[in-house]
Amino acid sequence: MKNVELSDEVYAALQRLAAAKNLTPAEVLAAMLGTSRPPLAGDNLLFYLVSVEFTQLQEPVERYLALLAWAAKNYSCDFADFISHQESCLRYLMLSRDEIQEVRARNHARQIDGTQFWAVMTIDQHTKRRFVCRLLEFIGCHDETVAVACRALGLGAAEPQHFRLLSA
């Protein structure tokens, strides 16, 4: 058996990731490196949530926008498809540019980095949690990953889903 030296910060991140997947730190590393266990498919988000880039963000708003930007960057087609099927999507197609700017200002909308999409910032925590859960499920994240993401965003625990559609 070999030893690897890690900083306290990196080891803490590794422990959080392992706990989220109910694995030991060694099993997480083995899965990441592609040894005997299958890779942690669909849960690349866990690696982002424990990254320095994400953990350095202190404000919940910035974390929320960063998570949306990550999803848009890593699952661009799915993200665009998910957004285009939101109930409110068609409502904005009929508005003029000035009317869109007025709605954007009223909702304190902020652009999601690297995308043409805007996030409405005036929604309540429950609605934000529901949106994040649905988005992450849509892109293929496991329930445990969705729960970790909600906690990382300060949204509390994800609500238990009674039914979940699975893709074929």
Side-chain angles (χ1 to χ4, degrees):
M1 178 172 279
K2 304 290 181 197
N3 293 321
V4 175
E5 194 169 318
L6 303 172
S7 70
D8 290 338
E9 181 181 298
V10 171
Y11 186 70
L14 180 60
Q15 283 184 309
R16 286 191 303 272
L17 183 58
K21 296 302 293 173
N22 294 323
L23 299 171
T24 66
E27 289 172 324
V28 170
L29 290 174
M32 288 171 54
L33 298 173
T35 60
S36 62
R37 291 181 59 97
L40 301 172
D43 284 333
N44 293 326
L45 176 59
L46 284 173
F47 301 117
Y48 177 67
L49 293 174
V50 297
S51 71
V52 173
E53 176 185 353
F54 185 80
T55 56
Q56 285 181 342
L57 300 171
Q58 298 300 316
E59 296 295 318
V61 168
E62 298 305 320
R63 284 180 170 227
Y64 175 66
L65 290 170
L67 177 94
L68 296 179
W70 179 90
K73 175 184 171 194
N74 291 282
Y75 297 90
S76 58
C77 290
D78 288 336
F79 186 84
D81 190 34
F82 179 80
I83 297 300
S84 71
H85 287 89
Q86 296 303 297
E87 297 167 6
S88 62
C89 184
L90 294 178
R91 178 178 8 175
Y92 298 111
L93 293 177
M94 304 280 215
L95 300 178
S96 70
R97 183 166 181 76
D98 290 337
E99 290 170 324
I100 290 172
Q101 292 298 343
E102 180 184 324
V103 170
R104 186 187 63 75
R106 185 177 58 245
N107 290 324
H108 300 284
R110 299 220 0 227
Q111 190 163 16
I112 300 170
D113 285 343
T115 75
Q116 74 273 22
F117 301 106
W118 292 74
V120 174
M121 304 310 293
T122 55
I123 60 175
D124 61 81
Q125 294 291 86
H126 174 77
T127 305
K128 194 178 286 185
R129 180 177 53 243
R130 184 172 173 266
F131 177 79
V132 167
C133 291
R134 289 175 51 231
L135 170 64
L136 296 180
E137 289 170 0
F138 189 83
I139 65 173
C141 292
H142 295 99
D143 292 338
E144 301 86 15
T145 305
V146 174
V148 170
C150 286
R151 283 192 302 274
L153 295 176
L155 299 175
E159 295 176 358
Q161 300 294 320
H162 300 289
F163 302 100
R164 184 166 175 189
L165 297 176
L166 302 174
S167 61

